[in-house]
C-alpha cells in the first residue's frame, strides 16, 4: 500500500486501528465460505497449484482495475443492462472478490476498499426510496427488483465476513445499523411477496438474509432465513409480473421449504435447468456456510442429499458442450461455464466425497472459486486425479415427491458423436414454466436439430425492454405452439392458464434405456386438454442400414370431441427437398390470431396425398430427414417465427407443422434421421438422402401400436408397443398380417 | 502384393511384363508434376518428414479403400451430387493419387489399379453418347458438362504419366487410341463453345489437353492447348447456360490467352476468388508441368510472373479463417483449405523462391501435395522455417491491363481482432459476375457483419437442382439489390444485361492506406445507370473515443433525371434498437416485382423525420450500430430474403434498405460501429451502445464533401474529401462555418 500521499496523522490513525483490530480479532471470521483454517491451507499452497494461481491472478487483476477506478455509487435508476444497474451489480461481485483477496493476500488495500465501499453504501442506502422503475412485483432499492438487491446481499455478506475483523467496531456499527440490517429487513419483512414464497427469487432472498445472519451470529435472522416469515399478510391470489402465483395456501416458506418443494428426489429443480443454474449458487454457497457454522443441520444430507444430487442433475441437463437444455424460460447458450457453476462444482467436489469426475468439469471451466473448495479442486487437477464426467441417459423426476412427471434425457454416443433427445413431461415449473407437455428437443452434439426456442428476452441488454422479459415471452415463447408438441384447436395446453397448468403434471409411462440400441421414453398427458388423452413415445434406435441412430416418435391422441391437432417441428437450416408438392405463399400472413399462432408467418403449405411425407434439410454440415406416416388430407404448413413482432424481438427461425383436422383420434408417427455431411470446402455431399423406403403404422388398436420402417437397403424394422400396459414382465401376443408376435414388456423391436 | 491366389501362369506373364517394362522404361516418365529426380528425392526423405508422411498415409488409406471396393464405371446419367457423377469424379481423383502412390511406393497394385481402370474406361468411352442431362451449353460424356470431363482428363493425364512405364505398349496403345486422344479431341475440337474461350471452363479444357500433350510428347496437341483452336466455327452471339458470352470478336484463346486476359497484373482473376480458386489448380499444375517439360517457355515468368502473384492475391482474398470473400458467384465457406489450394501453395513455394510465409499457410492446411513441391513444403515446416503470412490492406486491379477497376481489401488489425472491408469496383467478371458495382462487405474476424450473399446454389447437392446453379442465382444473387450498393429505380446495374455490363468497369479514384488509422478507398461508377454518376468513398478509421475502428461510407449520386435510390445493408443477427419509430408489416408482401426485389419480404418500414437514423444489432456476441445522416422523408425498409422462393432455395437473411425518392442528387453517409460484447454465459452486455452523438454532412458542393462525427465523449471528427481531384499533391482550402481548412491530397481527417 502506498501511504506517502496520506497525511501523517491519518496514517497513524489507520495503523492504530489496524493494530486494534489485530488485537480484537475474534476467532470466528471469516466463517461463511472461507474459514480461518481454509485460509491457512490456501496460503500454504499459493504458487504451487496452477489453476488456483491463475484464477487468483485473474481475480486480482480484475479487482485491482476496479480499485484504480475508484468507488462508484450512482443513484439507482436503470433497468438491467443500464449503467446504474450494471455498476451496482459489478460492485457486489467485486466486493466479494476483494474480500477474498484480503483474506488470502492480507493486503490491506482490499480491506480498505471493501470497508470504504460499505461505508459509502451505508450513507447512500438510508436515503433511497423504492427503485424508480416500477415494472417489478417486488421493487428493490438498489435495483429495479428486490431479487437483485438479494443478489447484492448474498455477495456482500461474504465480503463483509472476510473483512469483518479488519473494520473497526465503530465502522461495523454504522455498516450494520445503516446498511446491512435494514437491507435484510427490506428484502424480507419489507418485501414478503418476494421473500415468502417458493421460487428462485425467494431462495436468493432467504440466502441473503441467512448469510448475513451467520456473519452477525443472529439466530432470529437465521430462523427467518431457514423457515420464512411467521406472518406475511399476503393476499392469496397475488401474482408476480411474470404471472406466477405468489402464495399457496398452507405452503411452507424459507430456505428449507425452497429445498423441499422445487427439488425432486432426483435433484431436478422444477423451474428448469436455466433457473436451477441461477439458484444453485445461493443454494450451494449457503449450504457451505451452514455446514461451516451449523454442522448439526447436516444440510448436505437434507432430503437425502438432494443439493448434491441437483448438481449432477444439472450437469446432465447439458448438451455436448455444456449448454443447458433451454426448458421453460431459459436463455440459450447458458452453460456450466457460468460463474455459478464454477462455485457449485467446486463445493460439490468438497462436500460430495471428492468425486473425481467433477474435476474434469472444473478443468473445462478453467477456473475455480477462490476458497477452500476451489483450492481442493485445483489441487486435484494438479495431481491429475480427474476422470471423465460421463453424461448418460437419465430420467429426472419432477416434483417434491418425484411424482410430478419429469424430464428424460436419452443419449446415444458413438465415438465423438452424441445424439441427444430431451423429452419434457414435467410439471408446470412455477412462474417460469412453459405450456409444453410432452415436448422435446433433439441435439446432434451441440447443434440444435429440433430446437426448444427458450425464452424471449435478452438478459441484461438494456435496449431490449430493459433486459427484462419481453411481452413475446408470454405471447410466443411460453405458448404450446412454440414447442415441438401437439396443439389442439390452436389453443395452448391448459388454455395457457397458469393456475390450471400448475395443478397437473404428465405421467411417465415407460422409461427404458437398458438396451443401448433401443432407448425409449413414453409419457401420458391427460389434462392439457380436458377430454383428450395424449401419449407420446420416443425411441432412439440404432439399426443396421442407418448411418446413425434414428429417432422414432409416436403420438396418439384420443378425444371426446373432433379437433384440429397441430404438431410442429422447429428445425434449423435449409430445406433440401420434400417428397410432396407444396405451395409457397405469395403474400405471407400470420397463421392464426392467438396462442402464439399470431407470431408464425405462413410460408407455405401442402395438402398431402401420399402416406409418407418426407422432408430433408441441411444444417451446419449435417443432413436431416423427417419421414412421417401421414393420411390423405393431412396438411403440412411451413412456418417462420416473426409475425406481429413490432420490436424485432423474435428469432426468425423456421418450422414445419403437421396438421390433422376434424378428428377425435389422431396418430402422428415420424422418424428423424441424422445422416451424411456436407462441407463447402470439399463441396462433397455424403449420404445426403434418407435411408427410409417406407414408414407405416401396420397395427393400431386400443392397446397396441405397431410401426414398420423399411430401409432402402432392405432392412425392415418392426416396433410394437403396448400402449395401455407398461409392466416389464407382462407377456404380449399380437397377430399382425397373420403373423403372431410374442414378447414380454411394453415394447418389442424386431429386425427382419 | 499378394500373388498366391493368382494362377501361376498369369503371375509369370505379369512378372515378364514388368521386366519388359523395366527394360523399355524411357527416361521421361513421369514428367508432369512428378519427375524421376523428384521421386528419388521424395523416396530418400520418406519416414522423416511428418507432414508429408501423414499426407501420404492419408492418401494411401483412401486409395487402398477404393482398391478394395473394386473398379466401378457406371453408365453416366446423373447431375452433380448424383451417384454416377460422384463416382466418376471420385475415380479421377483416386486415379491421380494411385498413380502418385505407384511412383513413390513402387507397389504394383497401384499401377495395376490405374491400368485396369483406364482399360475399363477405354472400353466404356467409345460407347458413350453425349451425357443424357441436357442442361449444359457444352455437355460432356462422362459428366453432364464438358467441364467435368476436362477435370477428369487433367487428373487422369497425371495418373497415366505416373504409370506410363508400368503399362505395356499394347495396353497403352488401346488406352491412348480409344480413350485419351478421343477424350481430348472431344473436349476441344468437339466442344469449341467450351474449349475456345476465355473462361475458367476453358482453362480446364486447355490444361486437360495440354497435360495429355506433354505425356504423349505431342507438339500439335500442346499447341492446341497453349493457343486454342485455329478455327472454331462458333457464332459470335452464342451464350452459355449461365448467360455468359462465349465468343468475342478477335479474342485469342488457349491456355496463354486464359492467363493474358482474366488475370490482372496484380494477379486478380476477373471471375472472383471462388472461381480463381477453382482455376488455380489447372493453372499451377500445368505451369509446373510446363516448367518440367518446356523450361524455355518460362511460364512462371509469363506476364511478369502473374501466376505466382495470383496465389498471393488469392490468399489475400480471404477472411481471418481463410474463407474467400464471396465476390460474384461464390459458395460461402470455400477456403484455402481446399485441395486446390494445397497444391497451389506447395507449387508456389517451390517455384516462387521458397517464400517461408507460404509455409505457415501450408501448416494450417495440415497436408501437402504428394510430390516434390509438397515434400519441399513439408521439409520446410519440419525445419521450422515458416513465418506468418501477414494479410495486409491491398488493392487488386482487375482487367488484363489492370485498368478495369479492381477490388480493395482494407484491414485493421488490433491484437487478435481484424476488421476487414472489401470494396468491389471491378469489371463484370465474365459469366459468373454479379451486377454490383461499388458494393462492399465487412467482416469482424470471420464473422460476416454486412454480407455478400454469394451464389444461390448448393454445389454438388443433387436434391437442389442437381447441384447446379438455381434459377434464384439469376433472379436474386446476381441482382444489384442482393448487394450492399445503390439501386436506381429498382433495376439492376446495366439493366442486368451481361453484354452491357461487360463493356464497363468502375474506376479507382483514391486508394490510400498509408496512414493505418485512416485507410481509404474511393471509386467512381458512371455507366451502371446511363446519365447517373456514382462515387463511393469508404474509410476505416481508428479514432479516440471509439472502442474499435469505425467504417465511414459516403455515396454521392448525381443524375440527369429524378430517381429513386435504394441502398441496402445486409446485416446478420438480431435488431437491438432503432432511434426512430417504424411499423412492422401485418401481412408481408414482396418489395417489388423484378430485379431481385420480388425475393424480398417487406418486414417493416419507417418514413424518417430525424436527421440521424441509428440502428443497432447483435450478432455472434458483438454489437454493431449503423448511423446514417438522413433527410426528412427518407425511408427505411426492413426486408428479409425469401419471397417468391418456391423451392426454399434462399437463405432467409435480413437487410435494411435506405431509400431516397424522386431526386436527381442523393448523398448517403453512414458510419458502421463495431462495439461491445455479449455472452449468454456471463449475461453481461459490454459497451452495448453506439458512441456517436451525431453524424452530419457539414459541407457539400461539386468538389467537396465534409462529414462531421460527434462522439458521446466529446471527440469531434471531421472528414473532408475532394470529390473531383484525387492528386496526392493537390493543395485544398475550404471554408466551413467561417473556419478555413487547408490540406494537401484528396482527404483530410481532423480530430477536435
Amino acid at each position: 500500500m502506498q501511504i506517502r500521499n496520506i497525511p501523517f496523522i491519518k496514517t497513524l490513525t489507520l495503523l492504530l486501528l489496524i493494530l486494534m483490530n489485530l488485537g480484537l480479532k475474534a476467532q470466528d471470521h471469516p466463517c461463511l465460505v472461507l474459514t480461518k483454517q481454509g485460509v491457512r491451507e490456501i496460503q500454504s499452497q499459493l504458487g504451487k497449484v496452477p489453476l488456483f494461481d491463475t484464477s487468483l491472478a485473474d481475480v486480482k487483476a480484475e479487482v485491482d482495475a476496479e480499485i484504480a477506478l475508484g468507488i462508484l455509487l450512482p443513484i439507482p435508476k436503470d433497468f438491467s443492462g443500464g449503467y446504474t444497474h450494471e455498476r451496482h451489480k459489478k460492485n457486489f461481485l467485486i466486493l466479494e472478490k476483494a474480500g477474498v483477496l484480503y483474506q488470502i493476500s492480507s493486503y490491506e488495500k482490499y480491506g480498505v476498499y471493501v470497508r470504504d465501499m460499505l461505508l459509502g453504501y451505508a450513507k447512500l442506502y438510508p436515503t433511497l426510496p423504492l427503485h424508480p422503475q416500477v415494472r417489478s412485483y417486488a421493487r428493490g432499492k438498489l435495483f429495479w427488483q428486490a431479487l437483485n438487491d438479494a443478489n447484492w446481499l448474498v455477495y456482500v455478506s461474504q465480503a463483509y465476513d472476510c473483512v469483518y475483523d479488519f473494520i473497526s467496531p465503530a465502522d461495523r456499527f454504522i455498516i450494520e445499523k445503516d446498511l446491512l440490517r435494514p437491507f435484510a429487513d427490506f428484502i424480507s419483512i419489507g418485501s414478503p411477496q418476494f421473500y415468502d414464497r417458493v421460487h428462485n427469487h425467494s431462495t436468493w432472498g432467504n440466502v441473503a438474509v441467512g448469510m448475513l445472519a451467520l456473519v452477525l451470529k443472529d439466530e432470529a435472522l437465521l430462523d427467518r432465513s431457514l423457515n420464512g416469515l411467521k406472518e406475511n399478510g399476503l393476499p392469496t391470489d397475488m401474482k408476480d409480473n411474470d404471472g406466477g402465483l405468489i402464495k399457496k395456501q398452507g405452503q411452507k416458506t424459507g430456505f428449507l421449504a425452497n429445498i423441499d418443494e422445487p427439488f425432486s428426489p432426483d435433484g431436478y429443480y422444477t423451474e428448469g435447468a436455466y433457473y436451477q443454474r441461477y439458484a444453485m449458487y445461493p443454494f450451494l454457497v449457503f449450504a457451505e456456510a451452514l455446514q461451516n457454522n451449523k454442522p448439526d443441520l447436516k444440510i448436505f444430507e437434507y432430503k437425502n442429499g438432494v443439493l448434491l444430487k441437483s448438481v449432477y442433475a444439472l450437469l446432465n441437463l447439458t448438451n455436448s458442450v455444456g449448454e443447458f437444455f433451454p426448458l421453460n424460460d431459459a436463455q440459450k447458450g447458458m452453460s456450466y461455464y457460468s460463474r455459478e457453476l464454477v462455485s457449485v462444482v467446486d463445493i460439490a467436489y468438497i462436500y460430495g466425497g471428492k468425486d473425481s469426475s467433477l474435476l474434469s468439469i472444473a478443468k473445462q471451466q478453467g477456473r475455480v472459486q477462490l476458497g477452500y473448495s476451489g483450492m481442493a479442486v485445483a489441487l486435484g487437477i494438479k495431481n491429475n486425479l480427474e476422470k471423465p464426467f460421463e453424461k448418460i441417459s437419465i430420467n429426472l423426476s419432477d416434483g417434491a415427491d418425484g411424482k410430478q412427471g419429469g424430464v428424460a434425457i436419452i443419449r446415444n454416443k458413438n465415438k465423438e458423436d452424441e445424439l441427444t433427445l430431451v423429452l419434457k413431461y414435467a410439471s408446470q415449473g412455477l412462474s417460469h414454466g412453459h405450456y409444453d407437455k410432452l415436448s422435446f428437443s433433439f441435439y446432434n452434439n451441440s447443434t440444435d436439430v429440433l430446437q426448444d426456442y427458450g425464452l424471449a428476452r435478452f438478459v441484461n441488454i438494456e435496449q431490449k425492454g430493459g433486459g427484462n422479459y419481453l411481452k413475446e415471452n408470454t405471447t410466443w415463447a411460453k405458448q404450446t405452439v412454440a414447442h415441438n408438441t401437439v396443439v389442439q384447436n390452436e389453443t395452448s395446453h391448459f388454455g395457457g392458464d397458469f393456475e390450471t397448468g400448475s395443478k397437473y403434471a404428465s405421467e411417465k409411462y415407460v422409461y427404458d434405456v437398458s438396451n443401448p440400441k433401443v432407448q425409449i421414453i413414453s409419457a401420458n398427458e391427460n389434462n392439457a386438454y380436458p377430454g383428450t388423452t395424449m401419449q407420446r413415445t420416443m425411441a432412439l434406435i440404432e439399426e443396421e442400414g442407418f448411418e446413425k441412430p434414428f429417432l422414432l416418435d409416436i403420438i396418439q391422441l384420443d378425444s371426446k370431441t373432433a379437433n384440429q391437432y397441430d404438431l410442429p417441428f422447429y428445425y434449423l437450416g435449409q430445406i433440401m427437398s420434400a417428397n410432396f408438392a407444396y405451395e409457397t405463399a405469395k403474400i405471407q400472413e400470420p397463421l392464426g390470431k392467438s396462442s402464439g399462432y399470431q407470431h408464425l408467418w405462413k410460408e407455405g403449405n401442402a395438402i398431402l396425398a401420399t402416406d409418407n411425407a418426407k422432408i430433408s434439410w441441411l444444417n451446419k454440415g449435417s443432413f436431416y430427414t423427417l419421414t412421417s406416416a401421414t393420411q390423405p388430407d393431412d396438411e403440412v404448413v411451413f412456418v417462420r417465427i416473426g409475425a406481429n413482432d413490432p420490436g424485432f424481438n423474435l428469432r426468425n427461425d423456421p418450422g414445419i407443422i403437421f396438421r390433422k383436422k376434424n378428428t377425435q383420434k389422431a396418430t402422428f408417427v415420424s422418424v428423424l434421421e441424422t445422416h451424411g455431411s456436407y462441407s463447402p470446402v470439399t463441396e462433397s455431399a455424403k449420404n445426403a438422402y434418407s435411408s427410409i423406403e417406407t414408414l407405416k403404422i401396420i397395427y393400431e388398436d386400443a392397446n397396441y401400436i405397431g410401426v414398420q420402417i423399411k430401409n432402402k437397403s432392405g432392412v425392415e424394422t418392426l416396433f410394437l408397443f403396448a400402449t395401455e400396459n407398461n409392466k416389464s414382465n407382462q407377456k404380449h401376443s399380437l397377430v399382425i398380417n397373420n403373423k403372431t408376435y410374442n414378447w414380454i414388456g411394453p415394447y418389442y423391436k424386431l429386425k427382419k
Side-chain angles (χ1 to χ4, degrees), chain A:
Chain A
M1 184 182 170
Q2 289 197 355
I3 57 169
R4 56 191 167 168
N5 292 329
I6 301 175
F8 175 73
I9 192 74
K10 203 164 171 188
T11 310
L12 196 68
T13 316
L14 192 66
L15 288 171
L16 280 170
L17 279 168
I18 291 166
L19 288 170
M20 271 172 63
N21 275 331
L22 285 173
L24 290 171
K25 206 174 253 179
Q27 286 311 302
D28 46 10
H29 290 285
C31 68
L32 294 178
V33 173
L34 283 176
T35 61
K36 281 201 172 350
Q37 173 63 18
V39 169
R40 275 192 294 272
E41 292 188 28
I42 289 168
Q43 287 171 334
S44 73
Q45 296 285 353
L46 284 182
K48 303 177 196 164
V49 188
L51 191 53
F52 194 91
D53 292 337
T54 56
S55 298
L56 180 61
D58 289 349
V59 166
K60 195 171 170 309
E62 187 188 2
V63 174
D64 288 350
E66 284 294 322
I67 291 177
L69 207 62
I71 289 169
L72 299 167
L73 303 173
I75 305 296
K77 73 174 181 56
D78 296 331
F79 274 131
S80 45
Y83 170 70
T84 73
H85 182 102
E86 294 303 315
R87 185 62 253 170
H88 288 293
K89 181 175 171 185
K90 186 130 209 174
N91 283 351
F92 70 67
L93 292 171
I94 295 292
L95 277 175
E96 186 267 341
K97 289 172 178 172
V100 172
L101 287 178
Y102 171 73
Q103 280 294 332
I104 294 176
S105 72
S106 306
Y107 287 173
E108 268 175 30
K109 70 170 179 180
Y110 299 116
V112 170
Y113 180 74
V114 175
R115 181 196 63 203
D116 290 354
M117 194 184 289
L118 290 181
L119 287 169
Y121 269 116
K123 269 196 186 158
L124 174 70
Y125 192 74
T127 71
L128 293 180
L130 282 182
H131 193 278
Q133 300 286 358
V134 299
R135 191 183 307 177
S136 175
Y137 74 103
R139 288 148 71 189
K141 290 188 169 181
L142 289 178
F143 300 95
W144 71 279
Q145 49 179 356
L147 168 63
N148 301 121
D149 285 45
N151 301 154
W152 187 96
L153 188 56
V154 169
Y155 285 87
V156 168
S157 297
Q158 296 175 64
Y160 186 56
D161 179 42
C162 283
V163 299
Y164 189 92
D165 293 338
F166 172 78
I167 303 180
S168 71
D171 284 345
R172 285 207 301 260
F173 179 78
I174 293 167
I175 289 167
E176 292 176 17
K177 179 178 72 72
D178 290 345
L179 178 63
L180 299 179
R181 284 187 179 276
F183 201 109
D185 286 345
F186 169 70
I187 62 168
S188 55
I189 300 164
S191 310
Q193 76 280 25
F194 157 75
Y195 186 83
D196 220 36
R197 190 179 174 200
V198 172
H199 191 285
N200 74 69
H201 288 189
S202 311
T203 300
W204 278 97
N206 305 152
V207 168
V209 168
M211 296 288 269
L212 184 65
L214 293 176
V215 180
L216 303 184
K217 317 289 173 202
D218 182 330
E219 292 289 342
L221 204 56
L222 184 61
D223 180 66
R224 192 196 297 170
S225 162
L226 295 175
N227 302 308
L229 303 178
K230 299 297 167 215
E231 184 53 60
N232 61 31
L234 295 170
T236 50
D237 58 349
M238 193 173 180
K239 286 188 184 176
D240 67 17
N241 46 310
D242 300 324
L245 200 65
I246 286 174
K247 189 168 181 171
K248 264 165 81 179
Q249 207 58 38
Q251 188 179 40
K252 285 189 182 177
T253 58
F255 182 72
L256 296 176
N258 267 297
I259 301 177
D260 288 333
E261 203 170 314
F263 282 109
S264 81
D266 294 329
Y268 177 76
Y269 187 73
T270 191
E271 296 189 297
Y274 175 77
Y275 277 99
Q276 181 165 356
R277 174 270 328 169
Y278 185 60
M280 282 313 281
Y281 178 77
F283 274 120
L284 270 278
V285 84
F286 189 42
E288 185 173 29
L290 285 170
Q291 188 64 26
N292 284 333
N293 290 275
K294 299 279 174 186
D296 294 347
L297 199 61
K298 295 185 176 169
I299 191 69
F300 284 108
E301 292 167 39
Y302 191 79
K303 196 178 171 178
N304 291 316
V306 75
L307 287 178
L308 292 168
K309 281 183 189 166
S310 73
V311 177
Y312 288 87
L314 195 46
L315 293 174
N316 270 298
L317 281 161
T318 61
N319 68 15
S320 64
V321 294
E323 292 168 349
F324 299 118
F325 302 126
L327 304 167
N328 294 326
D329 283 344
Q331 171 147 287
K332 298 181 91 159
M334 178 55 81
S335 75
Y336 62 50
Y337 293 90
S338 65
R339 64 170 184 275
E340 297 92 344
L341 266 285
V342 171
S343 297
V344 159
V345 166
D346 292 356
I347 295 170
Y349 177 71
I350 268 292
Y351 295 98
K354 297 197 173 180
D355 174 359
S356 53
S357 75
L358 293 176
L359 297 178
S360 70
I361 303 286
K363 193 174 183 180
Q364 288 175 55
Q365 290 170 334
R367 58 192 168 128
V368 293
Q369 171 171 268
L370 290 187
Y372 176 64
S373 54
M375 179 55 92
V377 164
L379 263 173
I381 290 170
K382 183 194 172 193
N383 295 327
N384 296 313
L385 299 180
E386 83 263 20
K387 289 185 183 157
F389 187 93
E390 293 288 357
K391 282 184 270 185
I392 50 170
S393 292
I394 190 171
N395 182 55
L396 297 167
S397 64
D398 189 11
D401 54 2
K403 291 178 180 167
Q404 303 292 307
V407 172
I409 303 160
I410 288 181
R411 299 179 201 266
N412 182 297
K413 289 191 200 184
N414 194 345
K415 293 176 197 161
E416 285 158 29
D417 275 340
E418 181 177 322
L419 294 177
T420 310
L421 162 69
V422 182
L423 183 80
K424 183 189 175 204
Y425 63 99
S427 68
Q428 183 64 27
L430 305 182
S431 66
H432 289 296
H434 288 193
Y435 299 94
D436 62 337
K437 298 298 179 199
L438 309 188
S439 81
F440 81 107
S441 52
F442 190 68
Y443 297 82
N444 180 2
N445 296 308
S446 64
T447 300
D448 269 341
V449 179
L450 294 168
Q451 71 161 330
D452 188 325
Y453 188 90
L455 48 66
R457 176 184 179 185
F458 296 83
V459 183
N460 293 331
I461 300 183
E462 195 189 25
Q463 297 100 305
K464 285 299 208 187
N468 303 314
Y469 280 99
L470 299 163
K471 77 175 173 45
E472 289 79 11
N473 196 60
T474 303
T475 59
W476 165 252
K478 284 193 167 190
Q479 299 296 327
T480 306
V481 76
H483 302 82
N484 302 310
T485 189
V486 171
V487 189
Q488 178 178 305
N489 299 331
E490 302 188 27
T491 57
S492 286
H493 296 169
F494 309 107
D497 182 66
F498 177 70
E499 284 167 62
T500 311
S502 299
K503 286 182 191 153
Y504 304 105
S506 306
E507 287 165 33
K508 181 178 79 180
Y509 177 66
V510 172
Y511 170 74
D512 185 349
V513 296
S514 55
N515 177 356
K517 296 193 170 185
V518 186
Q519 300 186 75
I520 183 169
I521 173 71
S522 177
N524 295 325
E525 170 55 50
N526 299 326
N527 301 293
Y529 297 112
T532 302
T533 62
M534 202 179 335
Q535 182 179 78
R536 187 171 211 162
T537 304
M538 302 192 90
L540 194 53
I541 297 176
E542 260 183 71
E543 185 65 282
E544 192 188 314
F546 289 87
E547 180 191 346
K548 293 187 177 175
F550 61 78
L551 181 67
L552 172 63
D553 178 21
I554 302 170
I555 304 180
Q556 287 179 299
L557 292 134
D558 194 355
S559 180
K560 291 174 181 159
T561 52
N563 301 300
Q564 172 186 293
Y565 300 110
D566 284 348
L567 175 59
F569 291 95
Y570 289 96
Y571 73 97
L572 291 165
Q574 187 94 27
I575 297 275
M576 289 289 109
S577 61
N579 72 340
F580 53 86
Y582 55 85
E583 293 283 324
T584 54
K586 297 290 174 202
I587 287 176
Q588 285 195 152
E589 299 184 42
L591 187 59
K593 298 212 176 299
S594 58
S595 300
Y597 282 75
Q598 73 276 25
H599 291 297
L600 290 171
W601 292 117
K602 186 173 172 182
E603 284 198 327
N605 78 318
I607 306 295
L608 297 175
T610 53
D611 56 4
N612 266 206
K614 195 185 278 290
I615 303 168
S616 293
W617 64 91
L618 172 65
N619 186 27
K620 295 188 179 173
S622 282
F623 292 98
Y624 302 93
T625 300
L626 186 69
T627 305
S628 296
T630 51
Q631 283 84 45
D633 295 333
D634 280 3
E635 188 174 357
V636 174
V637 187
F638 293 94
V639 296
R640 187 168 296 273
I641 303 163
N644 285 296
D645 179 20
F648 295 115
N649 288 338
L650 296 172
R651 301 193 305 272
N652 298 79
D653 295 334
I656 304 161
I657 296 180
F658 287 86
R659 173 170 284 184
K660 291 174 189 286
K661 284 181 185 165
N662 197 27
T663 177
Q664 287 181 257
K665 287 175 192 276
T667 303
F668 293 91
V669 173
S670 320
V671 172
L672 176 71
E673 293 167 87
T674 303
H675 57 98
S677 65
Y678 183 73
S679 151
V681 177
T682 63
E683 295 190 331
S684 165
K686 293 181 182 160
N687 196 24
Y689 287 96
S690 164
S691 297
I692 292 177
E693 187 71 42
T694 58
L695 170 66
K696 267 190 191 160
I697 302 168
I698 53 163
Y699 189 89
E700 188 170 19
D701 67 14
N703 296 304
Y704 296 99
I705 186 164
V707 173
Q708 178 203 58
I709 301 158
K710 279 193 181 169
N711 172 306
K712 285 178 181 166
S713 57
V715 176
E716 185 182 318
T717 304
L718 266 189
F719 184 86
L720 309 181
F721 192 66
T723 55
E724 291 292 338
N725 189 323
N726 62 1
K727 293 202 185 85
S728 59
N729 58 356
Q730 180 72 42
K731 290 183 182 177
H732 297 276
S733 183
L734 191 60
V735 179
I736 304 176
N737 295 333
N738 301 319
K739 193 168 161 13
T740 306
Y741 298 91
N742 298 302
W743 77 94
I744 297 169
Y747 80 89
Y748 184 47
K749 207 251 8 173
L750 180 70
K751 192 193 78 181
K752 286 186 183 176

